[in-house]
Amino acid sequence: FRSEIYKSSGCSNCDYAGVSGRVLASESVSMGAELRTAFYRGIPSYETFSSLARPYSSPSLQDHLYSHLEEGLISYENYRLFG
């Protein structure tokens, strides 16, 4: 982990918002047969969904946010807000 984490602060370049631009952080899940069956039987619990979806998922939203934080693309405040 990098030793420096950024805190948002405003300046005239960002109109004192503390941010400039946007960065995508996302997660996608493909429906495998087991996950599809679980949905047909009713909405599965979070634990069931997570365990069945993980093999078919891209890196998690939390992983993307953490990587953006490490790279200095987002502030710790935004990491906490969206993570």
Side-chain angles (χ1 to χ4, degrees), residues 38-46 48-49:
F39 272 101
Y40 284 140
R41 292 183 178 152
I43 298 175
S45 68
Y46 177 77
T48 301
F49 174 80

Side-chain angles (χ1 to χ4, degrees), residues 4-82:
E4 189 173 356
I5 296 176
Y6 296 96
K7 180 177 179 178
S8 295
S9 61
C11 66
S12 60
N13 291 331
C14 65
D15 199 22
Y16 300 93
V19 294
S20 176
R22 296 178 185 204
V23 185
L24 176 65
S26 64
E27 178 176 5
S28 64
V29 177
S30 296
M31 288 286 247
E34 289 179 89
L35 186 55
R36 192 176 311 113
T37 300
F39 272 101
Y40 284 140
R41 292 183 178 152
I43 298 175
S45 68
Y46 177 77
E47 291 78 19
T48 301
F49 174 80
S50 293
S51 66
L52 294 174
R54 181 58 42 210
Y56 305 101
S57 297
S58 65
S60 73
L61 176 61
Q62 190 70 30
D63 292 340
H64 271 159
L65 289 168
Y66 188 78
S67 134
H68 291 335
L69 180 65
E70 280 189 314
E71 294 170 24
L73 298 174
I74 63 172
S75 67
Y76 183 70
E77 293 88 357
N78 282 331
Y79 174 76
R80 296 273 313 211
L81 179 65
F82 296 106

